[in-house]
Amino acid sequence: MAFVSSGYNPDKPMENRVTDIGPIKYDNFYPPVIAKNKGQWKYHEILEPGVLVHVAASGDKVYTVRVGAARLMSSSLIREACEIADKHCDGYLRFTTRNNIEFMVDDEAKVKPLKDELSSRKFTGGSFKFPIGGTGAGISNIVHTQGWIHCHTPASDASGTVKATMDEVFADFQDHRMPAKLRISMACCLNMCGAVHCSDIAILGYHRKPPLLDHEYLDKMCEVPLAVASCPTAAIKPAKHELPDGTKVNSVAVKNEKCMFCGNCYTMCPSMPLSDTEGDGIVLMAGGKVSNRISAPKFSKVVVGFIPNEVPRWPSMVDAIKNMIEKYSEGARKYERFGDWTDRIGWERFFDICELPFTHHLVDDFRDQAYNTWRQSTQFKF
Amino acid sequence: MAKHETPLLDQLESGPWPSFVSDLKWEAEVRAKNEKGIDYQIPVDVCDDLLGLLELSYKHGRTHWKHGGIVGVFGYGGGIIGRYCDQPDAFPGVAAFHTVRVAQPSGKYYTTKFLTQLMDLWDLRGSGLTNMHGSTGDIILLGTTTPQLEEFFYELTHEMGQDLGGSGSNLRTPADCLGTSRCEFACYDTNDLCYNLTMEYQDELHRPAFPYKFKFKFDGCPNGCVASIARSDISFIGTWKDAIQVDAAEVQAYVDGQTPSNGGAHSGRDWGPFDIVKEVVDLCPSECMKYEGGKLSIDDRECVRCMHCINTMPKALHIGKETGCSMLVGAKAPIVDGAQMGSLLVPFVEVNKEDDYQAIKDVIELIWDYWMEEGKNRERLGELMLRQGFKTLIEKCELDPVPQNVQHPRTNPYIFWKEEEVEGGWDRDINEYRKHHNR
């Protein structure tokens, strides 16, 4: 390959430099029906799973067909989405916060050809490229993080756990049988690039072994004080270490019993890796939400302390998720989110119903906020 | 013929959900064939090697990516995340595989022209792989080499008129729901406020000067579709002050079963006929609704705007007319001191396009002044609030505390009284005291 210059001159980096221009203004991308009726929408209806209509004061309607997507996508797939949008949607499309793609048309007659086109496209492996769904009281797409595909701190893979889970709950991506919407999220470490801590069901990658210490390189690669300061439990202290050849080097020592495996030290110091085949795996959390509907937003709670990384399809994790979804679906009232259901029946009953073991790992012992999770009442169920 | 055997990943090709493995293989094949005759500027087999490296991670149960190196474009401190694999000899195509964050447009609307142009550029100068979108909201372009960064940036800005997003200790690319553009629940124009603040604070976005990352997110209503309350240092959530608008005839249509409740969201199960008392009135969290004699009435003063009744009967009930937003501050993920949700700093602020959103910018800048002065290295705003108290932030923002700021008043009397609040001050004469109180 020959180097293709953009016109950039490395000797004069400031020559003709364009900076601080931000994103292109949103209204350049509005489909005409959106531009015309912005701020004038009267109501919407979900005509069937994955298909919405929004009706404006002018009488105009916009029909949206929502499709799921792996957020990791190739330029070829994006081009194919563009090709469909060119053919059916006058060259416009949008993405949602939950990695779905939305194709919009301004006439009901255009919906069926669009749907047929989207449903017909498949990858060579057999999976849908553009599965229609993700609306209403069903299971929408999973928001997630990078995982092993592109990150240095994960305790699990993101794309794989999401694919494994969505394959198994796919019927509910295309259905509205849940008591309320159910949102699943995945974060591959507790940096939580996705806001999984407020999801109906959260899949979280977690380490269980303290950092390895690469003494020979630690002081060369890291600022020891930053590594020490990074630890939320003060488990790390500066220490001299004698290498096998007798050389004394500056390094750190870790009080392993104080480590809660957050990985914050590794973020500050590459010579303290945590990842480990047996140590790493999945924590499942449940009952969180961000909506203010009926009840206030709430955090997800840890309901399964650890599930190993069973590649490539994480069957124990997927089974546990499916089981919780079914029990919720059977037990919750209409409009009741997962966490509203558990609040009503009580967490002791939740563990009963879901036949999940309650272990010491689930009793909070981190900082002052732990107190607020203990029961200060004689009201409980046997 | 695939470059690397991937028996584990191959098992993720079956099933209905879009397979990222199939997609990666497809892209690997497209690059190998190169029917368009592209002069690829990074290794042609980058996708093959990514698959090979990922297969190795599946085999080991561990990542094979190293910490990011310091790479970027001249004059910016963010927008590019350096990435190197730890097995470069086996997978040279992804030896260097840097992430480029491209600022997404408000509302994530696109023309195919824009996306095609961006993909043309990315196929030439990168892996052709993306995330649409990253968790913060940016278009994530996955994988290129250091020499391509300036070239990519030059073409992105010159040919597309488009900029990078944020990373590191700076303002991260703000993100919003689609707002009034296509949603009847939206209380303000999220697309415009998001765009306006993104443009106003370009310097803060590109040049790290903060103690740590800082995120803005914009939810048009309390349904919170972009989860701003869970993950942004300042969360802007649309709300209103006056009455919910009620269309009595449309209420009747719901009661009569002519209009499907909840916008048709429950169509997958037979929940029985719609019961307005059971499903709306009785579920109102502030019990401010009545349905009597075929008439729905709302005591709007007692309404907490949870959205349930409006969500359930979108054709009959509409948000109020006196709209604005609430500002909540300090949300963050668990690293380091546990997760926090946003706390309500400003119950209501006007979202006024006419004066360039000055009231909102005033609060933002006071928050930043305080955080940049007092925040420690890698301390999020929420953590500073825990350390110095919500009261301090309220004071620094020149706001008067209101009961809306708290769930309930404090349960201990350990008030940090200030000297000026106490009559006579704190300077006293011990000898004067002893005249009346023997030792």
Side-chain angles (χ1 to χ4, degrees):
Chain A
M1 73 193 171
F3 186 80
V4 178
S5 170
S6 60
Y8 170 73
N9 180 356
D11 296 330
K12 295 180 180 171
M14 292 312 289
E15 192 175 78
N16 297 324
R17 195 161 188 87
V18 175
T19 67
D20 298 80
I21 55 174
I24 292 175
K25 196 173 178 209
Y26 54 86
D27 53 6
N28 291 288
F29 297 132
Y30 283 162
V33 65
I34 294 293
K36 183 184 162 200
N37 296 291
K38 181 174 177 177
Q40 302 297 322
W41 298 102
K42 295 293 284 181
Y43 66 93
H44 79 280
E45 198 181 319
I46 311 172
L47 301 174
E48 60 184 69
V51 182
L52 303 107
V53 60
H54 286 81
V55 182
S58 66
D60 286 354
K61 294 178 179 179
V62 61
Y63 294 86
T64 301
V65 180
R66 181 179 295 169
V67 304
R71 78 163 206 180
L72 173 60
M73 60 175 78
S74 69
S75 65
S76 297
L77 187 70
I78 293 171
R79 289 177 199 279
E80 191 162 322
C82 288
E83 178 204 315
I84 294 170
D86 280 337
K87 186 168 161 194
H88 296 269
C89 313
D90 302 316
Y92 297 92
L93 71 167
R94 73 173 291 269
F95 290 78
T96 73
T97 302
R98 303 196 74 86
N99 311 321
N100 297 307
I101 311 178
E102 291 186 337
F103 295 87
M104 287 160 283
V105 291
D106 55 9
D107 185 345
E108 191 165 12
K110 296 175 181 173
V111 174
K112 188 169 183 305
L114 171 61
K115 276 176 51 191
D116 291 346
E117 179 101 53
L118 291 165
S119 305
S120 71
R121 307 279 180 130
K122 289 192 170 181
F123 287 107
T124 47
S127 63
F128 287 104
K129 282 177 175 168
F130 305 110
I132 297 168
T135 53
I139 299 178
S140 192
N141 201 345
I142 300 180
V143 291
H144 65 92
T145 56
Q146 283 308 5
W148 293 332
I149 199 89
H150 205 223
C151 185
H152 62 295
T153 65
S156 187
D157 188 36
S159 299
T161 51
V162 167
K163 164 71 175 157
T165 305
M166 285 309 291
D167 275 342
E168 291 293 322
V169 303
F170 187 72
D172 283 313
F173 179 75
Q174 301 194 312
D175 199 356
H176 287 163
R177 72 173 177 116
M178 289 291 134
K181 62 170 76 166
L182 192 132
R183 296 287 177 259
I184 309 176
S185 305
M186 194 287 161
C188 49
C189 79
L190 88 171
N191 277 315
M192 283 196 194
C193 300
V196 312
H197 55 298
C198 296
S199 306
D200 295 287
I201 295 179
I203 304 168
L204 175 66
Y206 210 80
H207 304 289
R208 292 186 306 165
K209 293 193 185 180
L212 290 156
L213 301 176
D214 200 355
H215 291 298
E216 191 180 345
Y217 293 91
L218 196 141
D219 193 37
K220 296 173 197 157
M221 296 188 70
C222 317
E223 297 280 352
V224 169
L226 286 181
V228 169
S230 73
C231 182
T233 64
I236 305 173
K237 62 178 184 186
K240 294 265 184 214
H241 184 84
E242 191 175 323
L243 298 175
D245 69 358
T247 324
K248 285 212 164 147
V249 290
N250 289 324
S251 186
V252 298
V254 177
K255 236 187 181 77
N256 285 340
E257 65 276 17
K258 285 177 87 176
C259 179
M260 57 160 191
F261 320 103
C262 71
N264 205 37
C265 53
Y266 183 57
T267 296
M268 297 314 285
C269 175
S271 297
M272 302 179 73
L274 285 87
S275 75
D276 186 88
T277 310
E278 287 80 28
D280 294 355
I282 299 290
V283 173
L284 288 180
M285 302 173 76
K289 70 184 194 96
V290 292
S291 160
N292 288 274
R293 186 174 187 172
I294 303 176
S295 62
K298 33 187 158 232
F299 289 123
S300 311
K301 285 84 181 172
V302 176
V303 291
V304 181
F306 184 77
I307 301 174
N309 278 323
E310 298 162 331
V311 297
R313 280 194 169 268
W314 285 266
S316 304
M317 176 197 84
V318 173
D319 284 349
I321 292 170
K322 274 172 68 182
N323 175 48
M324 284 194 287
I325 292 172
E326 281 314 313
K327 297 290 159 47
Y328 158 70
S329 176
E330 284 161 20
R333 296 172 181 166
K334 192 179 178 187
Y335 304 111
E336 213 166 40
R337 289 287 291 265
F338 199 104
D340 296 330
W341 169 61
T342 53
D343 282 354
R344 176 170 59 80
I345 63 172
W347 284 97
E348 64 272 41
R349 189 62 75 235
F350 166 84
F351 282 92
D352 258 5
I353 291 174
C354 291
E355 295 171 44
L356 288 169
F358 188 87
T359 62
H360 72 87
H361 310 97
L362 309 186
V363 182
D364 196 352
D365 51 6
F366 183 67
R367 302 268 163 96
D368 293 355
Q369 58 254 47
Y371 169 81
N372 298 313
T373 70
W374 307 333
R375 191 182 302 262
Q376 289 95 24
S377 161
T378 55
Q379 294 185 7
F380 62 88
K381 295 178 182 177
F382 288 107
Chain B
M1 186 60 203
K3 185 176 170 187
H4 305 284
E5 296 280 304
T6 54
L8 291 168
L9 293 178
D10 293 350
Q11 296 174 54
L12 287 168
E13 288 203 85
S14 57
W17 189 251
S19 168
F20 69 100
V21 176
S22 298
D23 197 5
L24 285 172
K25 287 185 177 179
W26 181 23
E27 195 60 26
E29 198 181 306
V30 167
R31 287 178 77 95
K33 282 187 187 159
N34 193 16
E35 283 171 356
K36 290 185 199 159
I38 298 168
D39 199 354
Y40 291 121
Q41 295 294 291
I42 74 162
V44 176
D45 54 1
V46 53
C47 298
D48 290 294
D49 278 354
L50 183 64
L51 280 162
L53 187 77
L54 187 61
E55 177 74 15
L56 193 64
S57 282
Y58 269 65
K59 197 172 147 195
H60 290 160
R62 301 187 299 270
T63 188
H64 282 288
W65 295 103
K66 298 202 276 188
H67 270 67
I70 305 294
V71 292
V73 296
F74 192 77
Y76 280 8
I80 313 274
I81 296 98
R83 188 64 71 205
Y84 299 92
C85 91
D86 65 9
Q87 298 296 312
D89 294 338
F91 306 100
V94 291
F97 199 67
H98 310 320
T99 306
V100 179
R101 289 187 183 165
V102 174
Q104 85 288 359
S106 291
K108 298 193 177 89
Y109 287 92
Y110 293 99
T111 56
T112 54
K113 181 169 170 273
F114 173 88
L115 287 177
T116 306
Q117 202 180 352
L118 186 63
M119 290 307 107
D120 287 346
L121 181 50
W122 189 236
D123 281 339
L124 174 69
R125 301 203 176 275
S127 68
L129 301 177
T130 76
N131 289 150
M132 296 297 283
H133 296 71
S135 298
T136 297
D138 301 272
I139 301 169
I140 305 291
L141 302 178
L142 280 183
T144 192
T145 57
T146 309
Q148 290 304 314
L149 297 173
E150 287 290 355
E151 307 296 329
F152 175 85
F153 180 67
Y154 192 92
E155 285 176 346
L156 184 74
T157 49
H158 286 75
E159 291 175 18
M160 297 192 66
Q162 168 69 44
D163 207 341
L164 298 180
S167 65
S169 292
N170 59 12
L171 176 65
R172 298 300 182 85
T173 315
D176 60 345
C177 71
L178 48 54
T180 50
S181 74
R182 203 197 65 196
C183 184
E184 71 272 22
F185 300 153
C187 301
Y188 70 98
D189 185 349
T190 52
N191 294 171
D192 197 69
L193 181 59
C194 180
Y195 178 74
N196 184 292
L197 296 183
T198 304
M199 298 309 285
E200 176 84 22
Y201 299 119
Q202 279 288 297
D203 190 34
E204 286 78 0
L205 196 151
H206 294 302
R207 295 168 194 88
F210 287 154
Y212 203 12
K213 64 181 86 167
F214 200 92
K215 298 183 180 183
F216 292 156
K217 294 200 191 295
F218 306 88
D219 275 311
C221 81
N223 281 326
C225 292
V226 293
S228 69
I229 198 168
R231 58 195 191 125
S232 48
D233 298 272
I234 307 182
S235 153
F236 303 82
I237 302 181
T239 193
W240 66 92
K241 275 182 150 173
D242 56 345
I244 290 174
Q245 302 176 64
V246 182
D247 182 332
E250 292 294 351
V251 172
Q252 195 56 44
Y254 281 103
V255 173
D256 295 344
Q258 287 162 17
T259 311
S261 67
N262 213 31
H266 284 93
S267 61
R269 195 196 294 195
D270 182 7
W271 291 93
F274 178 67
D275 181 339
I276 190 170
V277 173
K278 199 171 139 221
E279 297 186 37
V280 179
V281 174
D282 290 352
L283 292 180
C284 172
S286 62
E287 299 177 20
C288 72
M289 308 182 88
K290 274 192 298 202
Y291 184 76
E292 285 170 352
K295 190 174 176 296
L296 182 73
S297 57
I298 305 173
D299 182 358
D300 284 283
R301 197 177 135 76
E302 300 306 313
C303 171
V304 294
R305 300 166 314 286
C306 86
M307 297 298 293
H308 175 64
C309 60
I310 297 175
N311 288 334
T312 307
M313 302 192 293
K315 216 168 166 178
L317 304 183
H318 203 265
I319 58 166
K321 292 176 176 168
E322 196 184 345
T323 56
C325 78
S326 302
M327 293 171 70
L328 296 91
V329 293
K332 55 180 278 294
I335 285 273
V336 177
D337 284 332
Q340 282 175 248
M341 266 193 259
S343 298
L344 183 65
L345 177 70
V346 182
F348 187 89
V349 62
E350 220 185 5
V351 182
N352 189 351
K353 205 179 287 201
E354 303 308 315
D355 75 352
D356 206 31
Y357 306 114
Q358 204 49 56
I360 287 171
K361 288 175 186 172
D362 288 347
V363 179
I364 291 170
E365 286 165 26
L366 287 168
I367 290 173
W368 281 350
D369 284 348
Y370 165 57
W371 181 52
M372 290 176 75
E373 181 76 25
E374 296 287 338
K376 295 182 192 170
N377 181 36
R378 299 188 76 229
E379 186 173 50
R380 291 285 288 269
L381 178 63
E383 290 160 332
L384 174 61
M385 286 162 61
L386 282 186
R387 185 160 62 83
Q388 296 199 343
F390 194 23
K391 185 192 74 169
T392 308
L393 178 66
I394 294 170
E395 193 177 289
K396 296 285 182 184
C397 291
E398 298 167 11
L399 297 164
D400 291 324
V402 290
Q404 284 82 354
N405 293 137
V406 297
Q407 295 185 37
H408 54 73
R410 65 193 306 153
T411 55
N412 62 64
Y414 302 143
I415 301 165
F416 289 98
W417 289 102
K418 291 182 186 141
E419 186 173 10
E420 62 269 24
E421 289 183 301
V422 183
E423 295 76 6
W426 290 347
D427 278 340
R428 287 173 292 163
D429 182 350
I430 185 67
N431 294 324
E432 180 61 30
Y433 181 82
R434 285 296 170 216
K435 281 184 192 167
H436 310 284
H437 301 275
N438 293 340
R439 284 188 182 86

